[in-house]
Amino acid sequence: MSEKRLRTIAVNQAGYSSGGDKLALFSWDTPRYHIIDIASGNVVFTGQTGANIEDKPSGCRVRSGDFSALTSPGEYRIEGAEGEQSAAFFIAEKPYQKLQRGLLKAFYYYRCGVELDGEYAGAWGHKACHLAEGTVIGQPGLRQDSSGGWHDAGDYGKYSGPGAKAVADLLLAWELYPAAFAGVHTLPESDGSLLDVLLECTVELDWLFKMQESGSGGVYHKLTTAHFPGLDVMPEEDTGELYFSPVSAAATGDFAGVMAMAARIYKPFDEAYAARCLEAARAAWSWLTAHPHVPGFTNPRGITTGEYGDKVDSDERFWAAAELFRTTGDEQFHSAALELAKLPFPKYSFGWGDMGGYGTLAYLLIGEAGTLPSLYAELREGLLAEADRLLRQSRHDGYRISLLEQDYIWGSNMLVMNHAMLLLAAEHFSGEQEYAACALDHLHYLLGRNVLGISYVSGFGEHAVMHPHHRPSVGDHVLEPVPGLVVGGPDRGLHDEYVKKHLRRKPAAQCYADHEDSYSTNEVTIYWNSPALFVTARFNC
């Protein structure tokens, strides 16, 4: 039991599907509970909890309460035997449609270089920002356009690799679950001819074009000021000199992969744009083949913003080769993918540093008939084996997710959602529904079914995060934070001063602080939102 004897009734605060399974999780030994209809005040369900699970990551003995028999749409709250209360939650046929729209709209709020006005931004608008040209480090006197794209995180840096991951997640979500994106028009550009998800991705893709070095095809690693601005500085007030950091192999591989993907996806809608994407991807691939051995990226002297260092680039090269082969059918890319697949890098990971999972998905989505059968079988079997491992871990976890105690790291919620992505990929290639059910458990965790009973998505849930480490949310002086942002979540390493002071000796899953100073647990990023959107889209089809 944790030192404060938490009594949390944890639910998915976004809600549950009327006809689906519904579990609440209790962090203490309580035998029974009841559910109240908030509108009427009536008790509509009484239930018994199950057996205890000793859950080391949370420090609690967890019991579950199954209320799947409650199917009537409405808003509810659970009460324990001694008056303990859950957050409010909904039951609806499609409970995650607003959530998906919010997760996608968050990318609009991340936009750089344009004014966000009241009609579309509500209370969270700001003036156009970061319009100045940037200096290319290592090339004296060279300055070039740097505007556009998405701010990466709680600061205003823009990074090629993480941006590519975020776009890839969104494009994959549309490719696998297109029905989930129909009829959504929430952007200034929405006109019904191109879905919002594809319109929003072009914002980042158009900026990524600017990150490709003219003449060489290589891609600059990042674009930032020399140092982070203060936490209350609004985007338009961040006027420090902008710097393009040098080309890196990791950034170039990610760029080639996402541009090849975009070329395929946008071709039915805009052939000229698709051709531009493919030309850029081929140029990046030419740079990669001309530079087979490149040192990992480190920050240039005088730059202290996020490094996103990556010493291994074989995973990014594999993604680039597989994606180019899928898009073009060109055997040179197939041969390259076959050779790269022999190297020992993680092939089922979707993190910004380990991108091999995207290459695996690209190859498998071609289909067995268009690939080398032995590699196809190897990658498919490996993917399913990894999904089975996550499934086993989830079954032994009190909160039904796949994180072990040591997995509560900086950005643990990215792991939660990336694991859910992998489980859904396993469902796609196997047809087994248990993978999807496990992925949904991960979404439940993100939306409040965790030991702290907090929704880790701003604006979604009665007890949602309120104080993210996000400069616009701090500097705009609006009470509510920018909505739809996924925060990093518990980090047992206690990597910032606030949590070192306030969370010492806490169990791993409780090492979270909803405070603007806690950048290691409460910052936001585009590549935490993107896998959450992918997972949510699956359950909106």
Side-chain angles (χ1 to χ4, degrees), residues 387-452:
D388 288 339
R389 182 183 71 83
L390 298 178
L391 196 63
R392 289 193 300 271
Q393 289 177 187
S394 300
R395 287 170 176 166
H396 289 93
D397 183 80
Y399 287 89
R400 303 173 70 87
I401 63 168
S402 56
L403 298 196
L404 301 175
E405 187 176 22
Q406 61 266 27
D407 295 327
Y408 286 87
I409 58 173
W410 192 332
S412 62
N413 282 340
M414 182 185 73
L415 288 184
V416 173
M417 289 294 98
N418 284 351
H419 287 182
M421 276 188 65
L422 188 142
L423 287 160
L424 292 176
E427 179 207 20
H428 180 82
F429 292 111
S430 71
E432 296 294 335
Q433 293 300 302
E434 62 180 343
Y435 296 126
C438 189
L440 183 56
D441 282 333
H442 288 62
L443 187 63
H444 289 326
Y445 168 93
L446 188 75
L447 273 297
R449 210 177 70 181
N450 51 67
V451 66
L452 298 176

Side-chain angles (χ1 to χ4, degrees), residues 182-250:
V184 178
H185 306 294
T186 62
L187 303 176
E189 302 86 355
S190 299
D191 61 4
S193 63
L194 194 63
L195 293 173
D196 277 9
V197 64
L198 300 183
L199 284 170
E200 193 59 63
C201 284
T202 63
V203 171
E204 186 75 350
L205 290 167
D206 287 348
W207 172 75
L208 283 170
F209 284 131
K210 298 178 182 181
M211 295 299 285
Q212 189 166 39
E213 185 178 51
S214 178
S216 80
V219 176
Y220 300 119
H221 192 81
K222 65 176 189 172
L223 173 71
T224 71
T225 51
H227 312 290
F228 290 127
L231 189 54
D232 62 350
V233 173
M234 289 295 287
E236 63 269 30
E237 298 167 354
D238 181 32
T239 56
E241 180 74 21
L242 292 165
Y243 296 94
F244 289 85
S245 286
V247 167
S248 75

Side-chain angles (χ1 to χ4, degrees), residues 88-234:
F89 63 92
F90 295 90
I91 292 177
E93 183 180 354
K94 293 279 190 178
Y96 309 125
Q97 289 179 329
K98 288 183 179 179
L99 173 64
Q100 182 182 323
R101 287 196 291 270
L103 291 169
L104 179 58
K105 185 64 176 289
F107 289 90
Y108 167 80
Y109 289 117
Y110 278 116
R111 287 189 186 184
C112 178
V114 295
E115 181 176 4
L116 306 188
D117 63 26
E119 180 181 357
Y120 293 95
W124 301 283
H126 63 74
K127 297 177 182 177
C129 59
H130 304 100
L131 298 173
E133 291 184 330
T135 296
V136 180
I137 293 175
Q139 300 188 44
L142 179 58
R143 295 174 60 82
Q144 57 192 43
D145 182 14
S146 67
S147 63
W150 301 320
H151 298 140
D152 173 70
D155 60 273
Y156 302 126
K158 296 184 287 189
Y159 302 81
S160 298
K165 176 203 163 28
V167 173
D169 291 342
L170 270 56
L171 294 182
L172 281 168
W174 177 83
E175 189 171 24
L176 295 185
Y177 312 117
F181 295 95
V184 178
H185 306 294
T186 62
L187 303 176
E189 302 86 355
S190 299
D191 61 4
S193 63
L194 194 63
L195 293 173
D196 277 9
V197 64
L198 300 183
L199 284 170
E200 193 59 63
C201 284
T202 63
V203 171
E204 186 75 350
L205 290 167
D206 287 348
W207 172 75
L208 283 170
F209 284 131
K210 298 178 182 181
M211 295 299 285
Q212 189 166 39
E213 185 178 51
S214 178
S216 80
V219 176
Y220 300 119
H221 192 81
K222 65 176 189 172
L223 173 71
T224 71
T225 51
H227 312 290
F228 290 127
L231 189 54
D232 62 350
V233 173
M234 289 295 287

Side-chain angles (χ1 to χ4, degrees), residues 236-281:
E236 63 269 30
E237 298 167 354
D238 181 32
T239 56
E241 180 74 21
L242 292 165
Y243 296 94
F244 289 85
S245 286
V247 167
S248 75
T252 305
D254 287 335
F255 177 97
V258 79
M259 285 296 175
M261 178 187 290
R264 182 178 65 253
I265 287 176
Y266 285 90
K267 187 174 182 179
F269 307 102
D270 188 335
E271 288 195 10
Y273 192 78
R276 184 184 178 195
C277 291
L278 184 56
E279 181 182 10

